[in-house]
mmCIF file of all heavy atoms in Angstrom:
data_model
loop_
_atom_site.group_PDB
_atom_site.id
_atom_site.type_symbol
_atom_site.label_atom_id
_atom_site.label_comp_id
_atom_site.label_asym_id
_atom_site.label_seq_id
_atom_site.Cartn_x
_atom_site.Cartn_y
_atom_site.Cartn_z
ATOM 1 N N GLU A 124 9.765 -73.645 57.236
ATOM 2 C CA GLU A 124 11.083 -74.309 57.223
ATOM 3 C C GLU A 124 11.065 -75.331 58.345
ATOM 4 O O GLU A 124 11.107 -74.978 59.522
ATOM 5 C CB GLU A 124 12.203 -73.287 57.412
ATOM 6 C CG GLU A 124 12.361 -72.344 56.231
ATOM 7 C CD GLU A 124 13.518 -71.363 56.426
ATOM 8 O OE1 GLU A 124 14.191 -71.443 57.468
ATOM 9 O OE2 GLU A 124 13.727 -70.522 55.528
ATOM 10 N N GLY A 125 10.968 -76.608 57.964
ATOM 11 C CA GLY A 125 10.858 -77.655 58.975
ATOM 12 C C GLY A 125 9.559 -77.492 59.740
ATOM 13 O O GLY A 125 8.483 -77.407 59.150
ATOM 14 N N ASP A 126 9.663 -77.415 61.051
ATOM 15 C CA ASP A 126 8.468 -77.264 61.882
ATOM 16 C C ASP A 126 8.160 -75.806 62.193
ATOM 17 O O ASP A 126 7.262 -75.513 62.991
ATOM 18 C CB ASP A 126 8.666 -78.022 63.210
ATOM 19 C CG ASP A 126 8.704 -79.526 63.005
ATOM 20 O OD1 ASP A 126 8.075 -80.006 62.033
ATOM 21 O OD2 ASP A 126 9.367 -80.215 63.806
ATOM 22 N N GLU A 127 8.911 -74.888 61.575
ATOM 23 C CA GLU A 127 8.719 -73.471 61.881
ATOM 24 C C GLU A 127 7.928 -72.778 60.773
ATOM 25 O O GLU A 127 8.043 -73.101 59.585
ATOM 26 C CB GLU A 127 10.067 -72.782 62.071
ATOM 27 C CG GLU A 127 10.817 -73.266 63.307
ATOM 28 C CD GLU A 127 12.105 -72.492 63.521
ATOM 29 O OE1 GLU A 127 12.830 -72.274 62.527
ATOM 30 O OE2 GLU A 127 12.378 -72.103 64.668
ATOM 31 N N PHE A 128 7.136 -71.766 61.190
ATOM 32 C CA PHE A 128 6.322 -70.961 60.278
ATOM 33 C C PHE A 128 6.940 -69.559 60.224
ATOM 34 O O PHE A 128 7.156 -68.934 61.268
ATOM 35 C CB PHE A 128 4.880 -70.875 60.782
ATOM 36 C CG PHE A 128 4.201 -72.211 60.896
ATOM 37 C CD1 PHE A 128 4.403 -73.007 62.027
ATOM 38 C CD2 PHE A 128 3.387 -72.680 59.878
ATOM 39 C CE1 PHE A 128 3.782 -74.242 62.135
ATOM 40 C CE2 PHE A 128 2.768 -73.910 59.985
ATOM 41 C CZ PHE A 128 2.967 -74.700 61.119
ATOM 42 N N ILE A 129 7.199 -69.057 59.007
ATOM 43 C CA ILE A 129 7.947 -67.807 58.845
ATOM 44 C C ILE A 129 6.997 -66.679 58.440
ATOM 45 O O ILE A 129 6.272 -66.795 57.442
ATOM 46 C CB ILE A 129 9.049 -67.943 57.771
ATOM 47 C CG1 ILE A 129 9.807 -69.261 57.948
ATOM 48 C CG2 ILE A 129 9.986 -66.741 57.840
ATOM 49 C CD1 ILE A 129 10.528 -69.412 59.259
ATOM 50 N N LYS A 130 7.008 -65.582 59.208
ATOM 51 C CA LYS A 130 6.214 -64.393 58.868
ATOM 52 C C LYS A 130 6.977 -63.532 57.846
ATOM 53 O O LYS A 130 8.177 -63.740 57.604
ATOM 54 C CB LYS A 130 5.933 -63.582 60.128
ATOM 55 C CG LYS A 130 5.031 -64.291 61.134
ATOM 56 C CD LYS A 130 4.871 -63.501 62.417
ATOM 57 C CE LYS A 130 4.217 -62.157 62.208
ATOM 58 N NZ LYS A 130 4.013 -61.439 63.493
ATOM 59 N N ALA A 131 6.287 -62.541 57.294
ATOM 60 C CA ALA A 131 6.907 -61.682 56.274
ATOM 61 C C ALA A 131 8.120 -60.935 56.819
ATOM 62 O O ALA A 131 9.069 -60.641 56.080
ATOM 63 C CB ALA A 131 5.873 -60.692 55.741
ATOM 64 N N ASN A 132 8.112 -60.605 58.097
ATOM 65 C CA ASN A 132 9.245 -59.883 58.688
ATOM 66 C C ASN A 132 10.363 -60.802 59.154
ATOM 67 O O ASN A 132 11.316 -60.356 59.790
ATOM 68 C CB ASN A 132 8.767 -59.023 59.857
ATOM 69 C CG ASN A 132 8.163 -59.849 61.001
ATOM 70 O OD1 ASN A 132 8.189 -61.082 60.967
ATOM 71 N ND2 ASN A 132 7.635 -59.167 62.000
ATOM 72 N N GLY A 133 10.244 -62.104 58.840
ATOM 73 C CA GLY A 133 11.278 -63.069 59.195
ATOM 74 C C GLY A 133 11.078 -63.735 60.548
ATOM 75 O O GLY A 133 11.813 -64.673 60.885
ATOM 76 N N GLN A 134 10.122 -63.267 61.323
ATOM 77 C CA GLN A 134 9.872 -63.869 62.633
ATOM 78 C C GLN A 134 9.435 -65.322 62.471
ATOM 79 O O GLN A 134 8.648 -65.649 61.598
ATOM 80 C CB GLN A 134 8.797 -63.088 63.384
ATOM 81 C CG GLN A 134 8.531 -63.625 64.786
ATOM 82 C CD GLN A 134 7.409 -62.876 65.503
ATOM 83 O OE1 GLN A 134 6.857 -61.897 64.962
ATOM 84 N NE2 GLN A 134 7.068 -63.302 66.686
ATOM 85 N N ARG A 135 9.986 -66.186 63.327
ATOM 86 C CA ARG A 135 9.681 -67.607 63.253
ATOM 87 C C ARG A 135 8.709 -68.008 64.356
ATOM 88 O O ARG A 135 8.882 -67.614 65.511
ATOM 89 C CB ARG A 135 10.972 -68.428 63.380
ATOM 90 C CG ARG A 135 11.910 -68.219 62.197
ATOM 91 C CD ARG A 135 13.259 -68.875 62.412
ATOM 92 N NE ARG A 135 14.116 -68.676 61.251
ATOM 93 C CZ ARG A 135 14.184 -69.536 60.237
ATOM 94 N NH1 ARG A 135 13.493 -70.673 60.293
ATOM 95 N NH2 ARG A 135 14.957 -69.297 59.203
ATOM 96 N N LEU A 136 7.679 -68.771 63.971
ATOM 97 C CA LEU A 136 6.678 -69.222 64.929
ATOM 98 C C LEU A 136 6.645 -70.746 64.950
ATOM 99 O O LEU A 136 6.972 -71.408 63.963
ATOM 100 C CB LEU A 136 5.292 -68.686 64.552
ATOM 101 C CG LEU A 136 5.126 -67.170 64.423
ATOM 102 C CD1 LEU A 136 3.695 -66.849 64.012
ATOM 103 C CD2 LEU A 136 5.476 -66.464 65.721
ATOM 104 N N GLU A 137 6.217 -71.278 66.087
ATOM 105 C CA GLU A 137 6.013 -72.713 66.201
ATOM 106 C C GLU A 137 4.521 -73.025 66.103
ATOM 107 O O GLU A 137 3.682 -72.118 66.170
ATOM 108 C CB GLU A 137 6.580 -73.213 67.532
ATOM 109 C CG GLU A 137 8.078 -72.990 67.665
ATOM 110 C CD GLU A 137 8.610 -73.466 69.011
ATOM 111 O OE1 GLU A 137 7.803 -73.937 69.851
ATOM 112 O OE2 GLU A 137 9.837 -73.365 69.214
ATOM 113 N N LEU A 138 4.214 -74.300 65.981
ATOM 114 C CA LEU A 138 2.816 -74.707 65.837
ATOM 115 C C LEU A 138 1.974 -74.218 67.017
ATOM 116 O O LEU A 138 0.841 -73.772 66.840
ATOM 117 C CB LEU A 138 2.727 -76.234 65.729
ATOM 118 C CG LEU A 138 1.315 -76.797 65.520
ATOM 119 C CD1 LEU A 138 0.755 -76.367 64.169
ATOM 120 C CD2 LEU A 138 1.313 -78.325 65.655
ATOM 121 N N ARG A 139 2.557 -74.247 68.218
ATOM 122 C CA ARG A 139 1.785 -73.824 69.384
ATOM 123 C C ARG A 139 1.460 -72.325 69.336
ATOM 124 O O ARG A 139 0.456 -71.884 69.899
ATOM 125 C CB ARG A 139 2.540 -74.146 70.672
ATOM 126 C CG ARG A 139 3.899 -73.462 70.800
ATOM 127 C CD ARG A 139 4.587 -73.911 72.062
ATOM 128 N NE ARG A 139 5.913 -73.286 72.183
ATOM 129 C CZ ARG A 139 6.756 -73.561 73.176
ATOM 130 N NH1 ARG A 139 6.413 -74.444 74.101
ATOM 131 N NH2 ARG A 139 7.933 -72.957 73.210
ATOM 132 N N ASP A 140 2.305 -71.536 68.647
ATOM 133 C CA ASP A 140 1.997 -70.106 68.466
ATOM 134 C C ASP A 140 0.769 -69.935 67.580
ATOM 135 O O ASP A 140 -0.084 -69.075 67.830
ATOM 136 C CB ASP A 140 3.194 -69.377 67.840
ATOM 137 C CG ASP A 140 4.426 -69.431 68.727
ATOM 138 O OD1 ASP A 140 4.287 -69.213 69.946
ATOM 139 O OD2 ASP A 140 5.523 -69.701 68.193
ATOM 140 N N ILE A 141 0.703 -70.735 66.515
ATOM 141 C CA ILE A 141 -0.447 -70.673 65.610
ATOM 142 C C ILE A 141 -1.707 -71.124 66.353
ATOM 143 O O ILE A 141 -2.780 -70.524 66.216
ATOM 144 C CB ILE A 141 -0.238 -71.577 64.372
ATOM 145 C CG1 ILE A 141 1.135 -71.313 63.724
ATOM 146 C CG2 ILE A 141 -1.368 -71.353 63.367
ATOM 147 C CD1 ILE A 141 1.305 -70.000 63.090
ATOM 148 N N GLN A 142 -1.555 -72.170 67.144
ATOM 149 C CA GLN A 142 -2.704 -72.672 67.924
ATOM 150 C C GLN A 142 -3.213 -71.589 68.882
ATOM 151 O O GLN A 142 -4.420 -71.416 69.046
ATOM 152 C CB GLN A 142 -2.293 -73.921 68.710
ATOM 153 C CG GLN A 142 -2.096 -75.147 67.845
ATOM 154 C CD GLN A 142 -1.533 -76.327 68.609
ATOM 155 O OE1 GLN A 142 -0.634 -76.169 69.445
ATOM 156 N NE2 GLN A 142 -2.042 -77.512 68.315
ATOM 157 N N ARG A 143 -2.277 -70.859 69.506
ATOM 158 C CA ARG A 143 -2.689 -69.802 70.436
ATOM 159 C C ARG A 143 -3.421 -68.685 69.702
ATOM 160 O O ARG A 143 -4.449 -68.184 70.175
ATOM 161 C CB ARG A 143 -1.459 -69.234 71.149
ATOM 162 C CG ARG A 143 -1.813 -68.185 72.222
ATOM 163 C CD ARG A 143 -0.590 -67.548 72.842
ATOM 164 N NE ARG A 143 0.224 -66.862 71.861
ATOM 165 C CZ ARG A 143 1.447 -67.245 71.499
ATOM 166 N NH1 ARG A 143 1.995 -68.309 72.051
ATOM 167 N NH2 ARG A 143 2.126 -66.587 70.576
ATOM 168 N N ASP A 144 -2.928 -68.324 68.518
ATOM 169 C CA ASP A 144 -3.593 -67.267 67.738
ATOM 170 C C ASP A 144 -5.010 -67.689 67.347
ATOM 171 O O ASP A 144 -5.954 -66.889 67.424
ATOM 172 C CB ASP A 144 -2.782 -66.952 66.477
ATOM 173 C CG ASP A 144 -1.538 -66.125 66.790
ATOM 174 O OD1 ASP A 144 -1.468 -65.579 67.909
ATOM 175 O OD2 ASP A 144 -0.647 -66.048 65.934
ATOM 176 N N ILE A 145 -5.150 -68.934 66.929
ATOM 177 C CA ILE A 145 -6.482 -69.416 66.538
ATOM 178 C C ILE A 145 -7.402 -69.467 67.749
ATOM 179 O O ILE A 145 -8.583 -69.096 67.680
ATOM 180 C CB ILE A 145 -6.372 -70.805 65.876
ATOM 181 C CG1 ILE A 145 -5.600 -70.689 64.559
ATOM 182 C CG2 ILE A 145 -7.766 -71.396 65.630
ATOM 183 C CD1 ILE A 145 -5.349 -72.016 63.872
ATOM 184 N N SER A 146 -6.864 -69.902 68.881
ATOM 185 C CA SER A 146 -7.666 -69.952 70.111
ATOM 186 C C SER A 146 -8.167 -68.560 70.480
ATOM 187 O O SER A 146 -9.327 -68.396 70.893
ATOM 188 C CB SER A 146 -6.826 -70.536 71.249
ATOM 189 O OG SER A 146 -7.579 -70.585 72.443
ATOM 190 N N ASN A 147 -7.315 -67.549 70.317
ATOM 191 C CA ASN A 147 -7.727 -66.162 70.599
ATOM 192 C C ASN A 147 -8.848 -65.724 69.670
ATOM 193 O O ASN A 147 -9.794 -65.041 70.083
ATOM 194 C CB ASN A 147 -6.534 -65.218 70.449
ATOM 195 C CG ASN A 147 -5.544 -65.350 71.590
ATOM 196 O OD1 ASN A 147 -5.889 -65.801 72.678
ATOM 197 N ND2 ASN A 147 -4.305 -64.964 71.350
ATOM 198 N N ILE A 148 -8.743 -66.114 68.383
ATOM 199 C CA ILE A 148 -9.796 -65.764 67.421
ATOM 200 C C ILE A 148 -11.117 -66.411 67.827
ATOM 201 O O ILE A 148 -12.164 -65.763 67.874
ATOM 202 C CB ILE A 148 -9.396 -66.222 65.999
ATOM 203 C CG1 ILE A 148 -8.242 -65.357 65.465
ATOM 204 C CG2 ILE A 148 -10.600 -66.156 65.050
ATOM 205 C CD1 ILE A 148 -7.673 -65.841 64.141
ATOM 206 N N LEU A 149 -11.066 -67.703 68.144
ATOM 207 C CA LEU A 149 -12.291 -68.428 68.490
ATOM 208 C C LEU A 149 -12.962 -67.850 69.729
ATOM 209 O O LEU A 149 -14.196 -67.845 69.836
ATOM 210 C CB LEU A 149 -11.972 -69.915 68.716
ATOM 211 C CG LEU A 149 -11.424 -70.685 67.510
ATOM 212 C CD1 LEU A 149 -11.128 -72.127 67.903
ATOM 213 C CD2 LEU A 149 -12.407 -70.651 66.357
ATOM 214 N N SER A 150 -12.151 -67.347 70.660
ATOM 215 C CA SER A 150 -12.723 -66.803 71.897
ATOM 216 C C SER A 150 -13.300 -65.406 71.707
ATOM 217 O O SER A 150 -13.922 -64.862 72.620
ATOM 218 C CB SER A 150 -11.654 -66.770 72.982
ATOM 219 O OG SER A 150 -10.620 -65.853 72.640
ATOM 220 N N GLY A 151 -13.103 -64.817 70.520
ATOM 221 C CA GLY A 151 -13.693 -63.511 70.226
ATOM 222 C C GLY A 151 -12.808 -62.332 70.553
ATOM 223 O O GLY A 151 -13.289 -61.197 70.635
ATOM 224 N N LEU A 152 -11.496 -62.558 70.724
ATOM 225 C CA LEU A 152 -10.589 -61.478 71.092
ATOM 226 C C LEU A 152 -10.579 -60.348 70.067
ATOM 227 O O LEU A 152 -10.413 -59.183 70.415
ATOM 228 C CB LEU A 152 -9.170 -62.030 71.265
ATOM 229 C CG LEU A 152 -8.103 -61.031 71.747
ATOM 230 C CD1 LEU A 152 -8.449 -60.527 73.142
ATOM 231 C CD2 LEU A 152 -6.714 -61.678 71.752
ATOM 232 N N TYR A 153 -10.786 -60.687 68.782
ATOM 233 C CA TYR A 153 -10.701 -59.670 67.726
ATOM 234 C C TYR A 153 -12.047 -59.372 67.068
ATOM 235 O O TYR A 153 -12.117 -58.572 66.142
ATOM 236 C CB TYR A 153 -9.727 -60.125 66.636
ATOM 237 C CG TYR A 153 -8.405 -60.594 67.167
ATOM 238 C CD1 TYR A 153 -8.053 -61.945 67.110
ATOM 239 C CD2 TYR A 153 -7.512 -59.708 67.736
ATOM 240 C CE1 TYR A 153 -6.833 -62.391 67.604
ATOM 241 C CE2 TYR A 153 -6.299 -60.142 68.237
ATOM 242 C CZ TYR A 153 -5.972 -61.480 68.164
ATOM 243 O OH TYR A 153 -4.774 -61.916 68.659
ATOM 244 N N SER A 154 -13.111 -60.031 67.492
ATOM 245 C CA SER A 154 -14.377 -59.892 66.770
ATOM 246 C C SER A 154 -15.153 -58.670 67.236
ATOM 247 O O SER A 154 -14.954 -58.165 68.352
ATOM 248 C CB SER A 154 -15.235 -61.148 66.973
ATOM 249 O OG SER A 154 -15.663 -61.228 68.315
ATOM 250 N N LEU A 155 -16.053 -58.211 66.373
ATOM 251 C CA LEU A 155 -16.908 -57.078 66.709
ATOM 252 C C LEU A 155 -17.797 -57.464 67.891
ATOM 253 O O LEU A 155 -18.497 -58.468 67.842
ATOM 254 C CB LEU A 155 -17.777 -56.712 65.497
ATOM 255 C CG LEU A 155 -17.028 -56.197 64.266
ATOM 256 C CD1 LEU A 155 -17.960 -56.175 63.051
ATOM 257 C CD2 LEU A 155 -16.472 -54.812 64.517
ATOM 258 N N GLY A 156 -17.731 -56.700 68.967
ATOM 259 C CA GLY A 156 -18.539 -56.992 70.140
ATOM 260 C C GLY A 156 -18.001 -58.107 71.007
ATOM 261 O O GLY A 156 -18.650 -58.500 71.975
ATOM 262 N N GLY A 157 -16.814 -58.644 70.678
ATOM 263 C CA GLY A 157 -16.220 -59.693 71.502
ATOM 264 C C GLY A 157 -16.946 -61.024 71.436
ATOM 265 O O GLY A 157 -16.795 -61.869 72.322
ATOM 266 N N LYS A 158 -17.737 -61.242 70.382
ATOM 267 C CA LYS A 158 -18.489 -62.496 70.266
ATOM 268 C C LYS A 158 -17.580 -63.635 69.799
ATOM 269 O O LYS A 158 -16.592 -63.394 69.089
ATOM 270 C CB LYS A 158 -19.635 -62.313 69.267
ATOM 271 C CG LYS A 158 -20.680 -61.306 69.708
ATOM 272 C CD LYS A 158 -21.774 -61.156 68.656
ATOM 273 C CE LYS A 158 -21.247 -60.496 67.403
ATOM 274 N NZ LYS A 158 -22.315 -60.195 66.437
ATOM 275 N N PRO A 159 -17.886 -64.881 70.184
ATOM 276 C CA PRO A 159 -17.109 -66.027 69.678
ATOM 277 C C PRO A 159 -17.059 -65.988 68.153
ATOM 278 O O PRO A 159 -18.032 -65.622 67.496
ATOM 279 C CB PRO A 159 -17.901 -67.235 70.186
ATOM 280 C CG PRO A 159 -18.596 -66.727 71.409
ATOM 281 C CD PRO A 159 -18.953 -65.294 71.111
#
Side-chain angles (χ1 to χ4, degrees):
E124 292 182 1
D126 292 332
E127 293 184 316
F128 300 83
I129 316 298
K130 294 175 62 177
N132 62 5
Q134 183 183 357
R135 294 172 179 268
L136 303 179
E137 298 179 358
L138 182 66
R139 60 183 179 183
D140 298 316
I141 310 292
Q142 288 173 319
R143 184 185 60 247
D144 284 345
I145 295 176
S146 180
N147 287 337
I148 290 173
L149 297 179
S150 66
L152 184 63
Y153 310 110
S154 68
L155 295 167
K158 296 179 292 187

